[in-house]
Amino acid sequence: MSPKIIPNLELLERNRLEELVALYRAVFAEPPSSQWWSKESVIAMFERYFQTGSVLGAFSGDSLVGFAVVQPLAVASIIGQQTWIEPEQKWRLLDWQLLDEFGLLPDCGYLADLGVAASHRQQGIASELVRLGWKHYPDKPMLLRVSACKSEAIALYLKLGFARLPGLEQRPEYRQQDGSLKTERKFLMLKDTTSLSGY
């Protein structure tokens, strides 16, 4: 049975939120990220997502097997974070002046999160979730942030028409499964309106 994709209203039920949190924690606990997230912090994060954006779910039967979160760029957590600017050889806050250089405005889309259960990968679920997320921001560029170590995710985004913003990188710190803290290099990738054909 092929998974069905449904909008966030189904996920607003408390039992779905619990399932969503469990899937998120499992996906991001996998290597190479090996991140540890408390249940409470992920619940709080998704409660914010429900208020500020759209949460999409993919289901196989009655089981949640994938999710995506899209928001207006105006509320993205990456705004105001320290960003390495390679051409300038310096760190500065990611602000609207910098984003404007890439044609990005507050009403553009931001793919805040994406995850698919290991048992349901290579079935086109992630691609379909991204496509549906894009529909919430028709004719607008969409930005995302991806870990440099996640080569499969980067390959997927490239296939879907995203391109890395040259010379920009963020390095947030995450708690690991072993309790340590690790800095993770993150690239910013953009899908602009010129790459909409066939999408």
Side-chain angles (χ1 to χ4, degrees):
M1 173 187 299
S2 62
K4 62 177 180 177
I5 312 294
I6 60 175
N8 59 339
L9 292 177
E10 177 100 5
L11 295 181
L12 283 168
E13 298 173 22
R14 189 68 186 170
N15 64 327
R16 288 300 187 196
L17 181 58
E18 296 282 335
E19 202 175 354
L20 180 59
V21 168
L23 179 57
Y24 182 94
R25 294 179 74 203
V27 166
F28 285 92
E30 296 172 13
S33 288
S34 302
Q35 295 173 11
W36 181 87
W37 289 84
S38 73
K39 180 178 176 181
E40 295 75 21
S41 65
V42 180
I43 287 173
M45 180 177 67
F46 273 100
E47 286 176 345
R48 287 193 304 273
Y49 283 158
F50 282 123
Q51 293 171 4
T52 61
S54 297
V55 181
L56 301 168
F59 292 81
S60 180
D62 194 46
S63 299
L64 179 70
V65 296
F67 63 87
V69 179
V70 291
Q71 304 173 294
L73 188 54
V75 298
S77 61
I78 62 169
I79 306 299
Q81 287 195 18
Q82 286 288 338
T83 304
W84 176 250
I85 314 296
E86 183 64 33
E88 301 174 11
Q89 286 291 295
K90 70 176 184 182
W91 290 92
R92 66 182 257 205
L93 297 181
L94 185 64
D95 59 18
W96 294 111
Q97 180 183 353
L98 180 58
L99 289 168
D100 185 55
E101 294 176 22
F102 298 98
L104 289 162
L105 300 171
D107 63 346
C108 291
Y110 179 62
L111 180 63
D113 260 312
L114 177 69
V116 175
S119 58
H120 284 76
R121 292 179 191 154
Q122 306 298 320
Q123 298 179 31
I125 296 171
S127 297
E128 187 62 19
L129 285 166
V130 175
R131 286 189 183 98
L132 287 175
W134 179 277
K135 289 182 180 180
H136 289 259
Y137 299 89
D139 304 319
K140 301 280 185 186
M142 180 168 278
L143 187 69
L144 62 81
R145 186 175 77 169
V146 61
S147 296
C149 63
K150 293 190 174 179
S151 55
E152 289 181 6
I154 292 170
L156 169 70
Y157 295 136
L158 290 170
K159 181 180 172 184
L160 293 175
F162 287 85
R164 184 177 169 198
L165 291 183
L168 299 184
E169 185 177 305
Q170 293 185 338
R171 298 175 192 169
E173 195 171 58
Y174 295 100
R175 178 77 56 193
Q176 301 293 287
Q177 292 292 313
D178 64 6
S180 65
L181 289 173
K182 178 184 173 186
T183 299
E184 196 163 302
R185 294 176 62 215
K186 299 271 192 172
F187 298 146
L188 300 179
M189 298 184 75
L190 172 68
K191 183 171 176 63
D192 63 31
T193 53
T194 62
S195 57
L196 275 170
S197 59
Y199 197 70

